[in-house]
Structure formats: structure tokens, C-alpha cells
């Protein structure tokens, strides 16, 4: 049983070798950061609230009450989602507005397909 | 600002009200658990190795070397992925074999769409 690209090994010890097409450590680290941002129920609720909002965007002023948290706490969660590339932020006067970044989650999920 | 989900509010004080269609706290918790299991670079690499393997399955004996970890450590990571519903395990004689559960990640991602 031989293994394909990118680096063939020659000393597989048993069974079916695991092979190319798999992610590098760096790629895995980057993708894990995206999922880590989603590994929190509050951030999932925030994203789902934004996605379900009219026009696909929400003011931070409307996000605090549904999740029952203070604005600084919601801002902190939103910053993690923005840093992970899952949401984008736009300041309009006093308020920050957020949108879900189309396809960001799909791109991370895609990396786990053969 | 009273937010009711799934009932639209009538007394929004500013901006665009955030409303129904968003996830409940329980649903968000369940989905966050799935993503949390993916928030680790080793587990991402393990899933990608399995997805990229011939026949879409991999023996644990072939997963240890690519990630450079001991079999007990890999088993522990795989258990977390199985518990999160992202992988399934089948014992065949001495070895455990793993497959990625089709659609598990997509179902979690779907919950974040409007």
C-alpha cells in the first residue's frame, strides 16, 4: 500500500495508510481558531441573532437584551467573532453594527472534506 | 427593548430589532459543543486525515504518526470528536477505525443561517 502526495512515506506499519490531502499543522491551527470562536453558546446565539435580523445586520444595542449580557461583554464576544473572520463590524455614529461574513464558516468546514 | 423570539417585537427603541429565527439557549449550547470539539488543531488534523483516507476511514494505528502523538492521546481526541457526533468509531479486532459523520458539521453550520 503506497501513499500519495504530498510526501509519500515508505514505512507504513499496518492497515490503510493515511495520506496526502490532509491539512498542514498551520492550516489546522488557523481553522481551529475559527471553530474555537464558535465553541461558545453566547457567540453562537449572537451570530444566529445577527443572521436572523432584518437585512442580515444588527446593532449592538439590540444584541445585549436577547443574550442577557452587558454591552461590554457582548462587545468582547463580537470582537472574538470579528477577529476570527466570522463577523464584520461597522461603526455608524454611536452604534456598532455587525454582519455575518458570508462563507467564512463554509470555508472552514470545506477544509475538512476530502 | 423587549425581545421575544420567535415573536417579533413592537417596541424596539432603536435601529433594527433582533427577532425570531434565532436559536434558543439550549440549541446554541448544543451547537457550541460541536464547534468546541473542532476548536483544536490536533482534532482538525485528525478529522482531515480521516476524511482524506482511502474509503473515508482510518485506523487509529495510522493516525498517531501524522500528528506526532501517542495512541492514548489520539484516542482521547477521537473520543471527543465521537462524543460531539463528528466522527464514528468501529472496533475491528485489535484496532479502532474512524469515519467522519457526513453532514454533522453542515448541520451545525446550517443553524447559523437565517
Amino acid at each position: 500500500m503506497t501513499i500519495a502526495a504530498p510526501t509519500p512515506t515508505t514505512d507504513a506499519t499496518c492497515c490503510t495508510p493515511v495520506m496526502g490531502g490532509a491539512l498542514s499543522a498551520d492550516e489546522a491551527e488557523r481553522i481551529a481558531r475559527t471553530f474555537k470562536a464558535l465553541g461558545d453558546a453566547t457567540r453562537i446565539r449572537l451570530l444566529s441573532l445577527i443572521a436572523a435580523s432584518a437585512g442580515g445586520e444588527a446593532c449592538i444595542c439590540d444584541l445585549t437584551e436577547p443574550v442577557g449580557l452587558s454591552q461590554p461583554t457582548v462587545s468582547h464576544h463580537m470582537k472574538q467573532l470579528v477577529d476570527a473572520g466570522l463577523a464584520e463590524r461597522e461603526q455608524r455614529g454611536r452604534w456598532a453594527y455587525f454582519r455575518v461574513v458570508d462563507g467564512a464558516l463554509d470555508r472552514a468546514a470545506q477544509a475538512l472534506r476530502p
Side-chain angles (χ1 to χ4, degrees), chain A:
Chain A
M1 272 175 289
T2 335
I3 304 167
T7 318
T9 68
T10 50
D11 58 348
T13 50
C14 80
C15 333
T16 310
V18 170
M19 39 141 222
L23 296 170
S24 72
D26 281 354
E27 290 168 320
E29 192 60 60
R30 183 178 52 75
I31 292 163
R33 272 198 298 273
T34 300
F35 287 125
K36 201 167 193 169
L38 294 168
D40 177 278
T42 297
R43 291 196 289 277
I44 290 289
R45 292 189 76 196
L46 288 169
L47 274 187
S48 106
L49 286 163
I50 296 165
S53 294
E57 70 169 19
C59 173
I60 189 148
C61 58
D62 284 318
L63 292 171
T64 52
E65 189 168 326
V67 295
L69 294 169
S70 70
Q71 193 166 313
T73 302
V74 171
S75 285
H76 176 73
H77 282 301
M78 287 310 307
K79 183 175 187 315
Q80 291 178 272
L81 290 168
V82 169
D83 288 349
L86 289 158
E88 51 195 10
R89 179 187 194 282
E90 191 186 327
Q91 188 75 31
R92 289 190 215 147
R94 178 178 169 194
W95 301 112
Y97 285 75
F98 294 95
R99 307 186 68 83
V100 176
V101 173
D102 276 347
L105 179 53
D106 288 334
R107 279 190 291 278
Q110 188 60 40
L112 297 179
R113 297 198 180 98

